């Protein structure tokens, strides 16, 4: 029996100049457009028309360094609130999902539940929530705190936070709002459900003041790969965005995370694993390598130590660019999985801090592939067929050029191999991703049905 081809999932990691740290300095970059709405419209509509399942908007609540030379050379100091931006983009798109980041450490469950349910209604069922616990102290300093809470406590809070949000999304049955003018009944009282949650971190009565969203629940994306992060993903997530540099580590991560789903009575099909991929496309191998070296040439040395310190959760005080990492590394309270990846790579390949910067400034620890469309398609196909991934979150080095290269050269090659469906699928984001519509679980919540209907 012939082996059935697995259709891959594709996300677009949306950083407006591109994913490479120095993208904004490239001659082909249209820098200074981080707040230009039309630029976002152009990029997102390109994704909408070219087989991307969703766009993925990362976010952090502040500028992430005290180092002024680094800040002054960082194009990512200006960015829209992700929910505001994606809500504005929704009418310009028809099929692509809209995934936004919101921190469980510095938000409230009711507000997050309402915002994403609103985006889901505005987009006819295409919203996704990227759950993060926050990973740098600069967010804490902007939100009346001195530092991040401990890693384990952040994830404990996140587990309760997501549970409350899902409970609020189940405030109403799918058909609760009858709006019967003849009887004067706006909604059916028995189909409204109070959450009445009281936990370690939150006390939330409910119900949510917005009907159940078109997807039931917006898609939940989770980007942590630590032990705590994997457990949160296995319990709550629909999609995992992970950083894996090689296929061996990716296969191990994939197998362990899929197996962990059994603890929560979930099947392998309930969770989609999508590593990031940083593709530098050329019509020849040498052209791809030249394009990458051109981007690398614009990296500024002042950015190196703050970049590695922040992203890798490393204390590099007193070190120079030509030093190696210290032999003893203190465990970070930031991103534990990224620190582990950075340290392991640096020690394995004997990298100086300068070399680490050159290594990670593009892909940031994700899969980096330089080559022809066939080379990149080979890599994608190999990872998916060997159960290292269900798809990829594409991180174009330079926007819009690298995205155009990917859609003009790589997408047709993936289609030729049968790795993408032959037509762009409409419908909700859950339907595009092959995820089930969440059942109405509102019967498990406390219901106060006496005189709860709203009559005119």
């Amino acid at each position: 029996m012939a082996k059935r081809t697995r259709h891959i999932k594709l996300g677009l990691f949306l950083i407006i100049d591109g994913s490479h740290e120095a993208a904004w300095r490239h001659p082909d970059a249209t820098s200074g457009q981080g707040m230009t709405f039309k630029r976002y419209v152009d990029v997102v509509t390109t994704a909408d028309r070219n087989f991307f399942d969703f766009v993925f908007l990362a976010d952090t609540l502040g500028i992430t360094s005290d180092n002024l030379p680094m800040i002054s050379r960082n194009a990512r100091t200006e960015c829209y609130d992700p929910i505001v931006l994606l809500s504005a983009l929704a009418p310009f798109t028809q099929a692509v999902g809209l995934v936004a980041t919101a921190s469980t450490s510095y938000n409230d469950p009711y507000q997050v539940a309402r915002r994403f349910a609103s985006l889901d209604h505005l987009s006819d069922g295409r919203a996704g929530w990227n759950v993060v616990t926050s990973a740098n102290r600069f967010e804490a300093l902007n939100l009346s705190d001195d530092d991040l809470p401990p890693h384990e406590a952040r994830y404990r809070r996140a587990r309760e936070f997501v549970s409350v949000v899902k409970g609020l999304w189940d405030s109403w049955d799918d058909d609760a709002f009858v709006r019967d003018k003849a009887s004067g009944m706006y909604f059916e009282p028995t189909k409204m459900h109070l959450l009445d949650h009281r936990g370690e971190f939150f006390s939330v009565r409910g119900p949510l003041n917005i009907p159940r969203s078109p997807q039931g629940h917006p898609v939940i994306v989770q980007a942590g790969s630590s032990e705590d992060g994997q457990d949160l993903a296995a319990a709550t997530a629909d999609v995992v965005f992970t950083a894996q540099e090689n296929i061996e580590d990716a296969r191990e991560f994939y197998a362990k995370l899929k197996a962990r789903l059994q603890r929560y009575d979930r099947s392998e099909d309930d969770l989609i694993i999508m590593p990031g991929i940083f593709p530098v496309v050329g019509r020849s191998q040498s052209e791809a390598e030249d394009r990458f070296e051109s981007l690398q040439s614009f990296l500024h040395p002042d950015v190196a130590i703050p970049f590695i310190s922040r992203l890798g959760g490393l204390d590099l005080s007193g070190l120079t660019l030509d030093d190696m990492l210290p032999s003893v590394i203190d465990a970070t309270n930031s991103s534990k999985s990224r620190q582990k990846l950075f340290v392991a790579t640096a020690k394995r390949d004997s990298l100086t801090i300068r070399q680490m910067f050159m290594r990670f400034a593009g892909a940031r620890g994700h899969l980096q592939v330089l080559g022809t469309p066939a080379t990149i398609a080979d890599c994608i196909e190999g990872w998916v067929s060997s159960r290292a991934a269900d798809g990829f979150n594409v991180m174009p080095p330079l926007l819009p050029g690298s995205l155009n290269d990917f859609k003009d050269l790589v997408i047709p090659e993936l289609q030729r191999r049968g790795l993408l469906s032959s037509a762009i699928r409409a419908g909700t984001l859950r339907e595009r991703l092959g995820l089930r519509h969440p059942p109405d679980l509102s019967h498990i919540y406390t219901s106060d049905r006496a005189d709860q209907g709203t009559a005119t």
Side-chain angles (χ1 to χ4, degrees):
M1 183 179 293
K3 185 177 178 180
R4 185 174 65 87
T5 299
R6 293 177 64 193
H7 287 156
I8 64 170
K9 319 299 182 188
L10 288 179
L12 173 64
F13 193 81
L14 181 56
I15 298 177
I16 202 58
D17 289 309
S19 291
H20 194 280
E21 187 69 14
W24 72 277
R25 298 187 66 198
H26 195 278
D28 293 341
T30 49
S31 301
Q33 297 202 18
M35 304 303 289
T36 303
F37 181 63
K38 184 180 183 301
R39 176 72 177 276
Y40 286 95
V41 172
D42 291 342
V43 171
V44 173
T45 53
T46 296
D48 191 47
R49 296 191 297 263
N50 288 281
F51 295 90
F52 284 90
D53 294 296
F54 58 81
V55 294
F56 181 98
L57 194 60
D59 188 50
T60 186
L61 297 168
I63 294 173
T64 57
S65 180
D66 284 327
N67 184 292
L68 286 177
M70 187 272 190
I71 293 173
S72 69
R73 293 180 171 88
N74 187 353
R76 292 161 194 176
T77 54
E78 52 179 3
C79 52
Y80 282 105
D81 177 280
I83 285 288
V84 173
L85 177 59
L86 293 184
S87 296
L89 289 169
F92 293 89
T93 58
Q94 296 181 333
V96 74
L98 305 169
V99 178
T101 297
S103 170
T104 58
S105 296
Y106 296 112
N107 277 293
D108 180 86
Y110 194 96
Q111 294 167 324
V112 166
R114 189 177 185 224
R115 289 169 188 157
F116 282 92
S118 297
L119 178 60
D120 210 44
H121 279 283
L122 288 170
S123 63
D124 296 322
R126 293 184 284 124
W129 170 29
N130 177 41
V131 178
V132 301
T133 64
S134 293
N136 70 78
R137 68 181 183 89
F138 303 99
E139 295 188 64
L141 295 173
N142 286 336
L143 293 151
S144 305
D145 208 347
D146 294 328
D147 205 348
L148 289 173
H151 188 273
E152 182 275 334
R154 296 203 309 273
Y155 274 93
R156 201 168 68 246
R157 175 187 166 100
R159 179 76 70 90
E160 185 179 341
F161 194 113
V162 175
S163 177
V164 172
V165 168
K166 286 186 172 183
L168 289 168
W169 284 338
D170 286 333
S171 292
W172 306 91
D173 290 358
D174 288 327
D175 58 351
F177 285 82
V178 293
R179 302 180 181 90
D180 189 333
K181 293 182 179 180
S183 68
M185 185 67 70
Y186 197 78
F187 67 81
E188 171 57 54
T190 62
K191 296 183 178 184
M192 186 198 80
H193 311 281
L194 298 186
L195 182 61
D196 273 342
H197 173 87
R198 289 174 178 83
E200 179 183 2
F201 297 97
F202 306 108
S203 177
V204 183
R205 178 182 182 269
L208 198 62
N209 60 345
I210 186 169
R212 200 164 194 243
S213 72
Q215 296 186 95
H217 296 171
V219 169
I220 290 182
V221 182
Q222 206 273 327
S225 297
S226 66
E227 285 298 313
D228 289 331
Q230 289 183 53
D231 205 53
L232 177 65
T236 66
D238 301 301
V239 177
V240 165
F241 176 33
T242 180
Q244 308 291 335
E245 281 197 307
N246 62 74
I247 193 169
E248 292 80 13
D249 291 345
R251 290 183 66 185
E252 180 181 1
F253 177 86
Y254 186 100
K256 287 183 176 180
L257 185 51
K258 291 280 187 174
R260 198 179 293 234
L261 293 167
Q262 297 174 9
R263 300 180 189 178
Y264 302 99
D265 296 322
R266 303 180 69 199
S267 73
E268 288 195 5
D269 292 338
D270 291 331
L271 183 64
I272 296 167
I273 298 177
M274 299 177 68
I277 184 171
F278 180 86
V280 184
V281 187
R283 287 176 172 79
S284 66
Q285 184 67 32
S286 61
E287 182 181 43
E289 292 171 358
D290 288 345
R291 287 180 171 181
F292 180 66
E293 289 306 316
S294 176
L295 279 166
Q296 292 285 87
S297 70
F298 293 103
L299 289 170
H300 198 288
D302 280 356
V303 179
I305 287 179
F307 175 90
I308 295 298
S309 299
R310 171 179 58 83
L311 205 60
L314 298 165
D315 182 3
L316 303 181
S317 55
L319 299 179
T320 71
L321 289 178
D322 295 317
D323 287 328
M324 312 286 285
L325 288 183
S327 56
V328 177
I329 303 292
D330 293 332
T332 183
N333 188 37
S334 182
S335 174
K336 290 186 179 294
S337 60
R338 198 60 60 93
Q339 183 192 65
K340 181 179 178 181
L341 188 154
F342 273 36
V343 171
T345 301
K347 292 188 172 181
R348 183 191 66 224
D349 297 341
S350 300
L351 301 179
T352 66
I353 294 170
R354 187 191 307 274
Q355 289 168 331
M356 289 180 67
F357 180 47
M358 301 300 286
R359 172 75 169 262
F360 292 119
R364 292 171 168 74
H366 295 274
L367 172 63
Q368 179 170 291
V369 189
L370 282 64
T372 64
T375 299
I376 292 168
D378 284 344
C379 180
I380 291 172
E381 184 173 20
W383 278 50
V384 173
S385 64
S386 63
R387 294 177 61 82
D390 296 313
F392 287 90
N393 209 3
V394 179
M395 306 168 65
L398 180 67
L399 284 176
S402 299
L403 174 59
N404 291 332
D405 290 337
F406 192 89
K407 62 103 171 170
D408 290 339
L409 301 173
V410 180
I411 292 288
E413 180 64 19
L414 295 173
Q415 285 182 296
R416 187 185 67 78
R417 300 179 186 210
L419 296 172
L420 291 174
S421 58
S422 58
I424 296 175
R425 293 162 287 171
T428 69
L429 179 56
R430 285 188 172 277
E431 291 167 344
R432 282 185 67 116
L433 295 174
L435 296 167
R436 294 180 294 178
H437 185 93
D440 178 8
L441 301 177
S442 52
H443 64 277
I444 70 173
Y445 304 116
T446 302
S447 296
D448 181 3
R449 295 176 175 174
D451 299 321
Q452 293 294 332
T454 299
T456 56

